Amino acid sequence: MRPKLLPICTAILLSSLSVNAIAESAKKNILMVLSSYGEKNEQGELIKPGYEFDEMSKSYLVFKAAGTTVTFASPKGGALITDNFDENKPYNKEFLADEEAAKQLANTNVLSDVDTQDYDAVYVVGGKGPMYDLATNQDVKRVIKQVYQQNGIVAAVCHGPAALLDVKLDDGSYLVNNKRISAFTNVEETAFTKKWQLPFSLEDNLKAQGANLIKDGLMLNQVSIDGQIVTGQNPFSTADSAIAVVQKLGLSTTGLPTFKDDNTIKLVEKFYQDRVLATKEYQANKQGYSPMLLAMSGLYQSKYATTEIERNVALALMELTQSDVNHPMLDAAIAQTHIDKSDLNKALIVLRQSQARFPDNEKIQSLLAEISKS
């Protein structure tokens, strides 16, 4: 009877191999595209912007957790220059500890060699670099067009949507025409793009090609989904953009990673809905949010506010975190917001309290002098 066991065992083994092969073939493959533009001088200083490391690492961790296979590609291939980033952020540390991922990133594939039949989605990472190379690179245009016309998913975040410009489909229409698209906005460029002279306005050029630009407030989370296209407005839209790609690929989104800074920005958005409830949420779970990011969000929103609601939310954020941050710059911003709201008495109270803690701060002295002249 023993000889009969061999064919049975062989059949079981072949069946197991077949199941594994089917599972492997069903695994989703994502091409993550990065800019090759970055450059550093001999002193290690960034003289040309590259890709955004935070956006790459967050997206990668989401895709990995979802069970997909990620391949890195760029116009020139090989090692790339990233914009400056903090290696100690939890998601960056986790990525850098992944030897296989770090090895692959150090030797990215050349876009011209990419066979789009191998991929279910293409995901373009932001940073200022894409504005200089991916915006005009014909290889990335080919990849995006082919993946889209193969019914794959096309996604991009922050400045990554620059790669979607000038992509023409077989019917002659622009890919972004009549599509809901989110990308880094003109207001965000004004607030945060100080060092580089960008070659064009991403918001304006997307609109010029027929995109229906969907945007939230300054550095708030906005992800737009239109059919096969997924786009995110800024770095804080990264994780949700990646999660949306996972969902569009028909995969489970249960248990995918979330990140403290993104959760903090989502809390900012809750202040627009119910300030009392959002304040209680923060106070009940301070360790789950970043007080400094809340404060900076309030500071920048106060500086670029155009409505009373925006000023009120900005003020609430800054006052909520004032004792945690304890910085004269934040005190000055709070006082300035009171001045903008024509409430000089409140501004004076803030400034005098701040002067007692920071007697030599020039900005506090300047605002006090401004009020005294009123």
Side-chain angles (χ1 to χ4, degrees):
M1 297 293 291
R2 288 184 181 276
K4 293 183 179 180
L5 289 176
L6 183 58
I8 294 172
C9 291
T10 301
I12 293 172
L13 177 60
L14 290 174
S15 175
S16 175
L17 291 172
S18 177
V19 169
N20 289 338
I22 291 171
E24 191 63 31
S25 66
K27 198 168 189 178
K28 300 298 183 179
N29 296 300
I30 299 174
L31 184 73
M32 188 178 290
V33 177
L34 307 167
S35 170
S36 292
Y37 187 74
E39 184 180 338
K40 291 184 177 180
N41 61 19
E42 293 179 357
Q43 291 72 43
E45 300 167 328
L46 197 67
I47 57 174
K48 288 183 179 180
Y51 71 93
E52 186 72 27
F53 197 92
D54 289 9
E55 293 174 16
M56 180 280 300
S57 62
K58 285 182 181 179
S59 302
Y60 178 87
L61 293 176
V62 169
F63 293 146
K64 180 182 178 182
T68 71
T69 298
V70 177
T71 301
F72 295 110
S74 63
K76 295 180 181 179
L80 307 173
I81 300 295
T82 176
D83 289 344
N84 295 325
F85 71 101
D86 184 354
E87 293 184 6
N88 291 316
K89 287 182 177 179
Y91 40 84
N92 292 337
K93 287 179 71 173
E94 185 175 351
F95 177 88
L96 292 168
D98 186 329
E99 293 183 5
E100 184 59 36
K103 181 181 178 181
Q104 189 191 162
L105 182 64
N107 188 28
T108 62
N109 291 275
V110 181
L111 272 171
S112 59
D113 294 338
V114 167
D115 183 350
T116 56
Q117 294 292 331
D118 296 334
Y119 299 100
D120 302 287
V122 56
Y123 183 93
V124 186
V125 173
K128 306 300 186 295
M131 297 287 287
Y132 297 88
D133 63 350
L134 299 183
T136 56
N137 182 269
Q138 293 308 303
D139 293 314
V140 78
K141 310 298 177 190
R142 172 188 67 85
V143 167
I144 289 170
K145 173 184 175 180
Q146 290 179 353
V147 169
Y148 183 80
Q149 294 193 155
Q150 292 162 195
N151 295 318
I153 307 304
V154 171
V157 66
C158 198
H159 287 90
L164 308 185
L165 290 168
D166 297 320
V167 175
K168 280 194 173 182
L169 305 177
D170 284 345
D171 63 6
S173 66
Y174 285 117
L175 172 71
V176 299
N177 185 47
N178 261 342
K179 301 294 195 309
R180 291 166 55 89
I181 300 292
S182 293
F184 212 66
T185 66
N186 286 342
V187 173
E188 288 168 335
E189 300 287 17
T190 299
F192 298 103
T193 307
K194 304 293 186 182
K195 184 175 182 180
W196 312 110
Q197 183 65 46
L198 297 182
F200 61 90
S201 159
L202 181 54
E203 177 178 336
D204 291 350
N205 282 31
L206 286 166
K207 287 178 178 177
Q209 293 190 5
N212 178 15
L213 200 81
I214 307 298
K215 54 185 177 180
D216 206 333
L218 184 71
M219 281 297 181
L220 298 182
N221 178 9
Q222 173 62 47
V223 176
S224 292
I225 303 171
D226 196 323
Q228 300 159 237
I229 301 177
V230 175
T231 48
Q233 180 173 318
N234 53 51
F236 300 113
S237 311
T238 302
D240 279 357
S241 295
I243 291 170
V245 171
V246 170
Q247 190 170 34
K248 294 294 289 184
L249 289 172
L251 302 174
S252 172
T253 58
T254 302
L256 296 183
T258 59
F259 307 102
K260 189 174 184 176
D261 49 4
D262 295 337
N263 291 337
T264 300
I265 293 301
K266 288 179 180 178
L267 182 64
V268 171
E269 294 174 340
K270 290 181 180 180
F271 273 81
Y272 282 92
Q273 301 161 12
D274 190 327
R275 264 175 277 166
V276 174
L277 194 61
T279 299
K280 288 180 179 178
E281 188 171 328
Y282 171 71
Q283 291 171 336
N285 183 30
K286 276 193 177 185
Q287 70 276 11
Y289 303 106
S290 167
M292 180 60 75
L293 183 54
L294 281 175
M296 293 305 295
S297 178
L299 189 152
Y300 274 97
Q301 289 195 48
S302 69
K303 185 175 181 179
Y304 293 95
T306 57
T307 67
E308 196 66 9
I309 292 175
E310 289 173 334
R311 290 190 187 90
N312 289 338
V313 168
L315 192 57
L317 290 168
M318 292 188 291
E319 290 178 338
L320 179 64
T321 54
Q322 189 177 21
S323 60
D324 296 314
V325 174
N326 191 31
H327 196 284
M329 181 173 68
L330 186 60
D331 293 342
I334 292 171
Q336 183 63 62
T337 305
H338 283 306
I339 292 171
D340 293 341
K341 290 168 60 67
S342 301
D343 198 334
L344 299 186
N345 288 333
K346 286 185 178 179
L348 196 57
I349 291 170
V350 172
L351 291 169
R352 284 174 176 168
Q353 289 174 343
S354 186
Q355 185 183 40
R357 300 196 309 277
F358 309 104
D360 299 323
N361 186 267
E362 293 181 2
K363 182 62 176 177
I364 298 298
Q365 299 291 352
S366 173
L367 288 173
L368 281 168
E370 179 183 326
I371 291 177
S372 68
K373 294 177 184 177
S374 301

